[in-house]
Structure formats: structure tokens, C-alpha cells
Amino acid sequence: MISYYTKLAILSLWKTRYMSLLAVIVIAVGIAATMTTYTINHMMTKDPLPSKSDSLFLVRLNNWSPESAYKNRDVETAPIYLSVQDAVNLIRHDKAQAQIPIAGFKDMLKLPSQDAVDARMTFVRSSTKDFFSSFEVPFLYGSSWPETSDTNGEQVTVISKKLNDKLFDGQDSVGRTVELGEHQFTVVGVIDDWFILPRFYGESTRAFKAPRDIFVPFQTQLNLELWSPNLQAFECWKETEDASVAALWASECVWVFFWVELNGGSEKRAYMDFLNSYVEQQKALGRFQRPTLNQLQSPSAYLKEREAYSSDSEIAVWLAICFFTLCLLNAMSIIMTKFQGKAGEVALRRAVGASSMDLFQQYMIETGIIGLLGGGLGLLLAQFSLFFSSQLYTHLSKNIMTMSVDLMVITVVLSVLSSLVFGLFPIANAIRVQPATQLKSL
């Protein structure tokens, strides 16, 4: 019977094709607006690393001025960065499963065979080998550098797939050499496409931008004194001893994000005990003269504090849902008009023995087909809208404007279910027709 009702529904749709098409378009516009807005909001606010959200923490220590609180806040908090000396000390103590300093600089990048005019300014991320394992970075070629590179500050690098395509035509570049400024670095790995949003590990202003294209060991940056003051955010509460980079490294200036991976509550408590002990030792040396505010902050808490995303995106989703509801009400009105025009047909079918349930099933299938077509068209419109948004907001990662397969399925299912729910009233009205009354008017 389902196939019979489906055939009748298709014939009915074709007979009233213009009104049916109008209902499909109205539903499609509503579902496209809703799912476009929801997709962007979902990608901006989702858990970036679900498997590690309970084990990654930003280390915050209060080494600020004894004269005033950090940023002169009423409620004192520790800086989000560490000084170089604290970052190096924590790495040397090696008390966590993984230790991930996040720093950076910029320099001119080219191949040794290229002329100086071919060099391009490139932003470089410095960290440790733990960055790639803790943040689940996939590799296309090679792997991260060995631990000795972190210890000795060797001139090795991991590059992105995008940069590898540009410099080496997509070939396996492991073992090849690139020049960063005056220094040569050996490629040890090439990162495959890597989708992590929001990018919680660095500056909150870059949470929705593409990752850096080139990575080097943190110790290498320190050894070579690679520093870009107009790129890297840093904060100082007193002047450095002189203008040299070495003086900056030895100062109380903070600019290094420092993440650790700790598995389980016991490791977290043990690491917090270590931080408390470390700060007390530094206090004895004349440092950390403000109240102790040691903190292990989760990625979500850090992003929320830094207001990486605002509540405006959630408001936009609710507005889109209201618009979709309005579209469904319009579609319901169109379907009602469409079914009212078939009152005579309904009366005739009732007179020859068709039950109310028979008509209900047929019209539910017909309404479901309208919803299915609306969902399919809405999905295409949503994809176009996301593509247009990615071209318009080029400063944001294109990954934000990507709809997952799950969301695609939800789009179509939501369209069908919404159409069925809002189609109940027109269907109920249609099948309440009294055969005797309608047949007299035929």
C-alpha cells in the first residue's frame, strides 16, 4: 500500500506542481538559512579535541609586578603566558606526560636554490615534539622531530601540506632543506590536512584561522635568538636589562603559552603540587612576589575567558530558527490551500470506500516528499551559502564553513520531520470533508 500511496502522492504533486514547488522553495530557504547559521556556530563552539579535552591544560603562573596586579584587575588573575625562564624550567623538570610551549616568530622563507627575491615572509610556530602527538596532528610524510632536537635546539622543521605543495610540488620532502632568514632547516615531516577548530592552543585572535605552515623546536628559537616583537604578543612589568634578545629571554616578560597533558585526576593533582613547590622555590630567589595563583586551565575555559567567540552567534542561530518556523508556517498555508482545492476528490474517494486513515497516509507521504525535496534543495543552498561565506570572510579558516556528513543528514531529516509536523493541520482539515456535502456540489 505504501507504494500505491506514494504513486498517488507523486501524481498529486504533479497536478499541483506550481503550489508544490512554491512550498518546496519556502522550506528550502528556511532550512538553508538555519543550517548555514547553525553549522558556523557549531564549528566555532565545538570541542576541538574531544579525546583530550580532559587532559590538556594551560599553565598559568603569577610572576607579575609586586606593585600592582596583572592588568590592574579588581579580581587578580595570573597572566596567560609564561616567561622564557619559567617555560624552560618546567620543561627541564619534565613532570607532565607532555609539555608544549607555544611561541613563534617570522622570517623570510625560500629554498637554497632560489634567489633572495623569491623569499616570502612566513610566520613560524615554535614548540616541542609533544605538540604533534598531544594535538593529534596527522602526517603525510615523515614525523615530528626527535627528542634530541628539543633538547639541543637542532635546525629541523615540520611543514604543512600547503607549503610542501608550494615548495616541493607535493613530493615527499623529508630530508630536503629550506632557508629561514640566515639559517637552514632540514624537513623531517609534512603535516597532512589538519582540522582542529577552534585552535585553542595559541592566541585567541587566531582561534578560527589556519595553523602556521612551518614548525621548529622551541629551543631552536631560543638558541638562534629568533624574535619578532611586532608579531608575538608579549607583556612586561619592568624594563629588560638591555635591548638584546638574550635579555628578553632572561627577563620577567611573559609571552610563551605553555600547555601540559595530564592523564587523570592524580596526575593533575601531582602537577599542581609540583607547580606550588616550584613557585615557592622561585619566591626564595626573589621572584613571584605576588599572591600565588597557580592554575591549570582547560581549553574551553581559556577560550571562554578570552571571549574567542561571542554569544552573538547563538543569537543568530535562534533568529534563524524563528525564520525557519515562519517559513514552515507559510509552507503550511500553501499546503492547506493545495489540499482545499482537492475537496471534491477527497469526497469522491471517501464515497467509494477510502477511509480517513487511507487519505491520511497518502497526504502524509505527499507532505513528506515536499519536505524531502525542500531539504535537498535547502542543503544545496546551504552549501552555496557556506562557500560564499568562506570567500567573503577570507580571514577565517575555511574549515568553519564546512558542513559535516552528520549535519547534512540532519538537514534533510529536519526538513522532512518539520514538514510532517506542520502538515498535520492541513491534512486533518482535508480528511474531515463530508462526502455528501461535497458530492452535491460536483
Side-chain angles (χ1 to χ4, degrees):
M1 292 299 291
I2 296 298
S3 59
Y4 174 67
Y5 292 144
T6 303
K7 181 180 178 180
L8 290 178
I10 293 173
L11 289 173
S12 176
L13 288 171
W14 180 250
K15 288 179 181 178
T16 56
R17 51 187 174 275
Y18 296 115
M19 294 191 70
S20 299
L21 178 61
L22 182 59
V24 167
I25 292 174
V26 169
I27 293 173
V29 170
I31 199 75
T34 302
M35 294 310 297
T36 299
T37 309
Y38 177 79
T39 296
I40 295 174
N41 180 72
H42 171 72
M43 295 301 289
M44 292 179 71
T45 59
K46 70 184 184 70
D47 189 341
L49 273 178
S51 60
K52 299 288 187 75
S53 57
D54 295 329
S55 58
L56 288 171
F57 301 94
L58 177 67
V59 177
R60 299 177 66 167
L61 304 176
N62 191 18
N63 73 325
W64 208 246
S65 165
E67 305 298 329
S68 61
Y70 176 61
K71 294 187 180 295
N72 293 312
R73 291 172 176 166
D74 294 334
V75 178
E76 186 171 2
T77 59
I80 59 174
Y81 315 102
L82 299 186
S83 65
V84 170
Q85 55 182 317
D86 289 322
V88 171
N89 288 341
L90 295 184
I91 291 173
R92 287 174 179 170
H93 280 88
D94 194 21
K95 295 292 185 179
Q97 289 286 335
Q99 301 170 115
I100 313 156
I102 301 292
F105 61 94
K106 64 180 179 179
D107 215 331
M108 302 301 291
L109 173 71
K110 70 179 187 69
L111 295 175
S113 59
Q114 292 179 313
D115 296 328
V117 295
D118 296 321
R120 294 291 180 268
M121 183 61 70
T122 303
F123 300 108
V124 183
R125 175 69 69 205
S126 70
S127 189
T128 60
K129 66 184 295 292
D130 292 338
F131 175 96
F132 305 100
S133 57
S134 293
F135 294 161
E136 301 179 349
V137 181
F139 277 84
L140 182 62
Y141 303 117
S143 63
S144 62
W145 51 75
E147 189 172 347
T148 54
S149 297
D150 284 328
T151 304
N152 303 325
E154 297 171 351
Q155 292 176 210
V156 292
T157 183
V158 169
I159 63 176
S160 68
K161 179 182 178 181
K162 176 183 175 183
L163 184 60
N164 187 68
D165 291 342
K166 183 177 181 180
L167 294 179
F168 302 106
D169 296 325
Q171 300 177 3
D172 186 350
S173 58
V174 174
R176 302 285 292 273
T177 302
V178 296
E179 285 188 1
L180 265 175
E182 301 175 352
H183 309 284
Q184 291 196 348
F185 288 76
T186 301
V187 178
V188 296
V190 177
I191 296 174
D192 204 350
D193 293 327
W194 181 37
F195 306 106
I196 176 173
L197 285 171
R199 303 189 201 287
F200 63 89
Y201 54 79
E203 303 87 350
S204 59
T205 54
R206 287 191 51 80
F208 305 107
K209 297 182 180 180
R212 303 300 191 193
D213 286 322
I214 184 165
F215 298 78
V216 302
F218 176 63
Q219 190 61 47
T220 303
Q221 179 181 4
L222 300 184
N223 290 353
L224 299 179
E225 297 187 352
L226 301 172
W227 175 246
S228 306
N230 58 344
L231 167 70
Q232 183 68 50
F234 67 102
E235 298 174 301
C236 304
W237 56 269
K238 68 176 180 179
E239 295 291 333
T240 58
E241 291 187 2
D242 55 56
S244 67
V245 175
L248 177 66
W249 284 185
S251 72
E252 294 290 347
C253 294
V254 294
W255 58 279
V256 180
F257 288 98
F258 197 87
W259 293 87
V260 292
E261 183 175 353
L262 305 167
N263 297 318
S266 59
E267 286 191 10
K268 183 178 178 181
R269 287 189 295 271
Y271 196 80
M272 183 59 76
D273 290 340
F274 158 68
L275 289 179
N276 293 334
S277 175
Y278 171 76
V279 168
E280 290 304 316
Q281 292 174 6
Q282 296 300 310
K283 282 179 179 289
L285 298 175
R287 302 182 63 223
F288 289 90
Q289 297 178 47
R290 293 207 62 77
T292 300
L293 297 172
N294 302 334
Q295 185 180 0
L296 293 173
Q297 190 172 36
S298 67
S300 59
Y302 165 70
L303 290 171
K304 183 177 181 179
E305 179 186 336
R306 300 296 292 173
E307 298 180 346
Y309 40 77
S310 69
S311 59
D312 291 348
S313 57
E314 295 183 5
I315 295 174
V317 171
W318 284 110
L319 289 175
I321 291 174
C322 291
F323 176 71
F324 181 42
T325 303
L326 181 62
C327 289
L328 288 172
L329 290 172
N330 279 278
M332 182 177 72
S333 177
I334 295 170
I335 293 172
M336 185 178 296
T337 303
K338 166 185 161 72
F339 286 162
Q340 283 177 347
K342 301 169 67 174
E345 176 187 334
V346 171
L348 184 59
R349 290 192 60 196
R350 289 290 303 278
V352 297
S355 67
S356 297
M357 182 55 66
D358 292 331
L359 293 170
F360 179 80
Q361 291 179 0
Q362 177 193 331
Y363 290 149
M364 282 293 283
I365 291 174
E366 186 172 341
T367 305
I369 292 174
I370 291 175
L372 181 63
L373 294 175
L377 179 58
L379 183 60
L380 291 176
L381 292 175
Q383 295 289 359
F384 174 78
S385 179
L386 290 170
F387 173 77
F388 179 77
S389 298
S390 69
Q391 301 302 308
L392 182 63
Y393 301 105
T394 55
H395 62 288
L396 297 176
S397 171
K398 287 182 171 56
N399 299 337
I400 297 177
M401 318 296 178
T402 303
M403 185 180 290
S404 65
V405 175
D406 291 344
L407 286 179
M408 291 182 186
V409 173
I410 289 173
T411 299
V412 178
V413 171
L414 177 63
S415 177
V416 173
L417 292 179
S418 300
S419 300
L420 291 175
V421 170
F422 278 77
L424 287 174
F425 183 68
I427 292 172
N429 271 349
I431 63 178
R432 281 205 302 261
V433 168
Q434 298 297 321
T437 304
Q438 287 295 327
L439 287 175
K440 287 180 182 179
S441 63
L442 290 178

